[in-house]
Amino acid sequence: CLSNRQMDEFTATDQTPDDEAEVGRLVAAYKKFGRGCASRSGRILGHVSTIEAARDMDVLRAVLGDGKLNYVGASYGTLLGATYAGLYPSRVGRVVLDGAMDPSLDAKRMNREQTAGFETAFTSFAKDCVGRKDCPLGTKNPADAGRRLKALFNRIDQHPLRTPGPRRLTESLATTGVIAVMYDQSGWPQLRTALKSARKGDGSALLALSDRYYERNSKGGYQNLMYANPAVNCLDLPAAFHGPADVREAVPAFEKASPVFGRGLAWSALNCAYWPRPATGRP
């Protein structure tokens, strides 16, 4: 959807806008991303929905000569597996759906519930962290750790942190670096180290975590995941929000779901409002 340099700019864009100028820059970034997908991906862009992927899976099943599909799916993969089962119930073999998404939810509620999921994961991290003497978020309690993390994000928003290269760690990149570790507790020690460095003004470790999430390699190249993800999501369901006014109205509910991540995740759900292809699916 974008050149590597353009993707660097996109991922660094402020997703917690403080004024109308910052809202304008975020909207412009979403529009540029969508236009890039349309120009670089061509006609296929309107045909990457979950239903179409499930049909492709059935083609693969047939080519392999399997009478039934045996399948393991996690996170989004549960929606793909459930969709396949709905389309082809007689061809379903053994299916495992781990961390299942609810296919009955609209995009707004799905994003809000994912926001709550990140808060649950962060609380688990914070409980572990505050029990350690060297916790970079203090040693009081998880709620205090959350307030300290949010304060760190606010400082980075005002003054992006240095890194060894030309890029700076912006608030959006720092947030992504933290979120990247919320999927698996094996990364908690690395996150503690990264937060400790960030508090001292060094953003390199958090930037490395963000790059890993975005699948950006050391030469600045990106894999396809972060382009495919919105392409699928924006076809699967009508947009969560139609414009900035809708997001502002929803921010309190998102912040209730996650005081730490809610505001940013609400604004990040605005991307499909400017998608160049209409949604083809529904809850």
Side-chain angles (χ1 to χ4, degrees), residues 156 159-170 197-207:
I156 295 173
H159 304 286
L161 302 185
R162 68 179 188 278
T163 69
R167 292 190 298 159
R168 293 273 174 164
L169 181 79
T170 64
S197 296
R199 288 176 63 86
K200 295 178 181 178
D202 180 0
S204 56
L206 272 181
L207 183 61

Side-chain angles (χ1 to χ4, degrees), residues 147-157 195 198-199:
R147 287 190 289 269
R148 286 171 178 255
L149 179 59
K150 193 169 183 178
L152 176 63
F153 287 158
N154 289 337
R155 290 200 299 273
I156 295 173
D157 186 29
L195 291 173
R199 288 176 63 86

Side-chain angles (χ1 to χ4, degrees), residues 4 28 33 39 66 85-86 95 109 112 114 117 134 170 187-189 203 240 249 262-263 270 281:
N4 293 332
F33 186 96
S39 65
D66 293 341
V95 174
R109 186 173 172 188
R112 192 171 67 240
Q114 185 181 39
D134 62 343
T170 64
W188 289 359
E249 183 179 346
R263 187 160 169 253
L270 181 60

Side-chain angles (χ1 to χ4, degrees), residues 122 125 129 136-137 149 174-175 177-182 186-198 205-206 209 212 261:
F122 173 74
F125 165 77
C129 187
L137 300 177
L149 179 59
T175 303
V178 174
I179 282 177
V181 180
M182 295 298 101
S186 65
W188 289 359
Q190 188 177 0
L191 178 56
R192 290 196 301 271
T193 300
L195 291 173
K196 192 178 299 182
S197 296
L206 272 181
L209 289 173
R212 187 171 71 188
F261 305 112

Side-chain angles (χ1 to χ4, degrees), residues 182-236:
M182 295 298 101
Y183 292 87
D184 186 351
Q185 68 185 59
S186 65
W188 289 359
Q190 188 177 0
L191 178 56
R192 290 196 301 271
T193 300
L195 291 173
K196 192 178 299 182
S197 296
R199 288 176 63 86
K200 295 178 181 178
D202 180 0
S204 56
L206 272 181
L207 183 61
L209 289 173
S210 177
D211 284 350
R212 187 171 71 188
Y213 183 83
Y214 282 123
E215 297 190 346
R216 182 189 191 274
N217 63 35
S218 59
K219 295 182 180 180
Y222 287 85
Q223 297 296 314
N224 197 44
L225 177 62
M226 291 301 162
Y227 304 133
N229 195 351
V232 173
N233 291 340
C234 294
L235 284 182
D236 276 357

Side-chain angles (χ1 to χ4, degrees), residues 11-198:
T11 58
T13 303
D14 190 349
Q15 291 190 340
T16 56
D18 300 313
D19 53 39
E20 288 303 315
E22 290 187 350
V23 170
R25 285 193 287 272
L26 181 59
V27 168
Y30 288 144
K31 290 180 177 179
K32 183 176 181 179
F33 186 96
R35 288 195 302 269
C37 294
S39 65
R40 292 169 181 258
S41 299
R43 291 168 57 191
I44 195 174
L45 190 64
H47 300 282
V48 293
S49 70
T50 296
I51 287 177
E52 287 160 308
R55 290 173 177 157
D56 290 342
M57 285 168 54
D58 196 57
V59 172
L60 294 176
R61 176 205 57 77
V63 169
L64 290 170
D66 293 341
K68 292 183 181 294
L69 179 77
N70 298 317
Y71 176 87
V72 177
S75 189
Y76 166 75
T78 68
L79 180 63
L80 185 56
T83 299
Y84 181 91
L87 290 171
Y88 308 107
S90 65
R91 300 174 190 170
V92 176
R94 295 180 294 277
V95 174
V96 177
L97 305 180
D98 183 3
M101 294 172 59
D102 184 345
S104 72
L105 302 182
D106 61 30
K108 179 179 176 180
R109 186 173 172 188
M110 185 173 290
N111 277 277
R112 192 171 67 240
E113 293 203 358
Q114 185 181 39
T115 299
F118 280 125
E119 184 68 17
T120 298
F122 173 74
T123 300
S124 296
F125 165 77
K127 285 180 179 178
D128 176 79
C129 187
V130 298
R132 303 173 184 270
K133 293 181 180 179
D134 62 343
C135 178
L137 300 177
T139 57
K140 289 184 179 180
N141 53 59
D144 183 64
R147 287 190 289 269
R148 286 171 178 255
L149 179 59
K150 193 169 183 178
L152 176 63
F153 287 158
N154 289 337
R155 290 200 299 273
I156 295 173
D157 186 29
Q158 298 299 317
H159 304 286
L161 302 185
R162 68 179 188 278
T163 69
R167 292 190 298 159
R168 293 273 174 164
L169 181 79
T170 64
E171 181 191 14
S172 59
L173 290 169
T175 303
T176 301
V178 174
I179 282 177
V181 180
M182 295 298 101
Y183 292 87
D184 186 351
Q185 68 185 59
S186 65
W188 289 359
Q190 188 177 0
L191 178 56
R192 290 196 301 271
T193 300
L195 291 173
K196 192 178 299 182
S197 296

